[in-house]
Amino acid sequence: MGLLVTSDAVVEREDTFDWFCETVSSDVMPVTLSSRNTADFRAGITYMDLGVVRLSAMACSPVVSRRTSSHVRRGDPEHLQLALITQGDFRISQRGTESVITGGLVLTDTSRPSEGECAGGQIESVVLQIPRQALALGSDRVDRLLAQNLAADAGTGAILADFLKSVLARGPDCRLEELRGVGAVALDLATAFLAQQLGDPGQAPAEARAQEALQRIYRFIEHNLGDPDLTPRMIADRHNMSMRRLYALFGDQPLTIAARIRQSRLERAHADLASAELSGQPVQTIAARWGFSSATGFSRAFRETYGISPTEHRAASLVPPRHAMHRNSARHAHQRAPLGPRFSSGDTALA
């Protein structure tokens, strides 16, 4: 996780454009980028992991982006990208719709070809990357919003825009578990905004309503993983539904609800054990943080899932490869120390 790097905080180098192309294609999605002036190209990209969603801040010189069917086949994160432009104008074309975004937000789909252009001057944007399966709205309905100029100067659009900028400014001061909660809020706000653009969310088909209930339960699980009393019965009671209804929601999911809770807890513990910042905390402390009350049970479940013990995983994760420092320094040589986001009082939330 890092802070927003604006375009004037990036060192000018002859290979900045090549670095930018490589970074976007490998870390975001495969695309072809072109610019009229690659020699003086300036750019910066920062990512913030919010758990269920990811927030990106990007600044760059004028550039044209093309994503073809070939690019989609080569790599597709299956994300919806809700972009907020904070400086510059953005032209986007997707699914037969073309818009020039001079104010508002814009939604795009990584699973479809698209073309975008930042032609006037430098562009700065904030992008919320939402997994398709995490959005509790029907795909057919959401597709109608692609490449549309969505207003962000009033109502839920303005609330969402202000929230995203606030996360960029304050997020680096939050703990990892706090950021996951922030991600759930961001997803809820984005869902509410898109549902408002589509009309009365109560008109959503039964399948979409079921997906919305399922996503609410997923977010509840993520918020309460540290509670050892988190069980299917507790979840059903908190959501005012029967156990039969709860199990029906998970009927066509890859994991049962109990398995989902177990997997999510193990994933969080797995990540924390690999964190240098938490290396001083005992393994059992980390296990308890994620709802494991038994050290023996945690160790057994961890080994069954990952093939090694928690202690072995921690030891292996905290020994960096010999070439890592050289590789990382070369990759990030284009950036100075990250700066905080700078939005002037005259900025309007764009996409």
Side-chain angles (χ1 to χ4, degrees), residues 4-7 10 16 19-20 42-46 57-60 335:
L4 174 64
V5 181
T6 55
S7 58
V10 178
T16 297
W19 164 83
F20 184 67
R42 307 177 74 193
I45 306 175
T46 297
M58 182 180 300
C60 66
Q335 299 188 8

Side-chain angles (χ1 to χ4, degrees), residues 40 47 66 87 116 131 148 170-171 175 190-191 199 229 242 250 350:
D40 296 327
Y47 308 106
R66 291 184 177 87
Q87 180 173 325
Q148 300 282 350
R170 305 299 183 186
R175 299 189 304 273
T191 302
D229 294 328
S242 67
F250 280 80
L350 312 177

Side-chain angles (χ1 to χ4, degrees), residues 221-282:
I221 291 173
E222 294 300 313
H223 280 306
N224 293 277
L225 286 174
D227 186 347
D229 294 328
L230 180 67
T231 62
R233 169 60 66 185
M234 171 191 175
I235 292 171
D237 290 344
R238 292 292 185 88
H239 289 80
N240 298 313
M241 64 176 62
S242 67
M243 291 292 291
R244 181 179 179 181
R245 169 61 175 159
L246 179 63
Y247 287 136
L249 285 175
F250 280 80
D252 60 352
Q253 298 302 301
L255 298 174
T256 65
I257 185 169
R260 173 72 181 230
I261 294 171
R262 179 176 180 270
Q263 175 181 286
S264 296
R265 283 172 165 164
L266 286 170
E267 288 175 349
R268 298 296 184 268
H270 186 272
D272 282 358
L273 287 169
S275 170
E277 297 177 358
L278 303 177
S279 60
Q281 296 188 6

Side-chain angles (χ1 to χ4, degrees), residues 45-113:
I45 306 175
T46 297
Y47 308 106
M48 188 175 292
D49 185 0
L50 302 179
V52 67
V53 296
R54 187 168 74 158
L55 194 63
S56 303
M58 182 180 300
C60 66
S61 301
V63 67
V64 174
S65 170
R66 291 184 177 87
R67 179 165 167 83
T68 65
S69 297
S70 176
H71 290 125
V72 174
R73 289 192 296 270
R74 192 186 313 165
D76 181 15
E78 298 183 358
H79 284 172
L80 290 167
Q81 297 185 329
L82 189 58
L84 170 70
I85 298 298
T86 54
Q87 180 173 325
D89 297 328
F90 182 58
R91 180 183 65 81
I92 180 67
S93 176
Q94 187 171 63
R95 199 172 177 260
T97 300
E98 180 173 318
S99 301
V100 177
I101 311 302
T102 57
L105 293 132
V106 64
L107 184 72
T108 56
D109 184 354
T110 65
S111 300
R112 299 176 183 272

Side-chain angles (χ1 to χ4, degrees), residues 179-348:
L179 288 178
R180 296 187 183 108
V182 168
V185 174
L187 178 58
D188 285 342
L189 284 175
T191 302
F193 169 70
L194 295 174
Q196 185 66 36
Q197 300 300 309
L198 290 167
D200 183 2
Q203 296 178 355
E207 181 180 353
R209 292 197 298 272
Q211 282 298 313
E212 183 175 5
L214 189 63
Q215 295 306 322
R216 282 202 310 271
I217 291 171
Y218 280 153
R219 292 194 289 275
F220 181 83
I221 291 173
E222 294 300 313
H223 280 306
N224 293 277
L225 286 174
D227 186 347
D229 294 328
L230 180 67
T231 62
R233 169 60 66 185
M234 171 191 175
I235 292 171
D237 290 344
R238 292 292 185 88
H239 289 80
N240 298 313
M241 64 176 62
S242 67
M243 291 292 291
R244 181 179 179 181
R245 169 61 175 159
L246 179 63
Y247 287 136
L249 285 175
F250 280 80
D252 60 352
Q253 298 302 301
L255 298 174
T256 65
I257 185 169
R260 173 72 181 230
I261 294 171
R262 179 176 180 270
Q263 175 181 286
S264 296
R265 283 172 165 164
L266 286 170
E267 288 175 349
R268 298 296 184 268
H270 186 272
D272 282 358
L273 287 169
S275 170
E277 297 177 358
L278 303 177
S279 60
Q281 296 188 6
V283 171
Q284 182 52 30
T285 298
I286 290 176
R289 177 185 300 132
W290 297 114
F292 292 98
S293 55
S294 166
T296 302
F298 169 66
S299 182
R300 181 172 58 250
F302 194 97
R303 184 180 288 276
E304 289 175 354
T305 301
Y306 298 108
I308 59 175
S309 72
T311 302
E312 290 169 339
H313 166 62
R314 165 175 270 180
S317 299
L318 298 180
V319 178
R322 295 180 180 179
H323 62 283
M325 182 174 296
H326 173 73
R327 183 184 68 236
N328 290 339
S329 61
R331 178 178 180 82
H332 298 290
H334 302 277
Q335 299 188 8
R336 297 176 185 166
L339 300 180
R342 299 175 303 141
F343 301 100
S344 67
S345 59
D347 283 342
T348 302

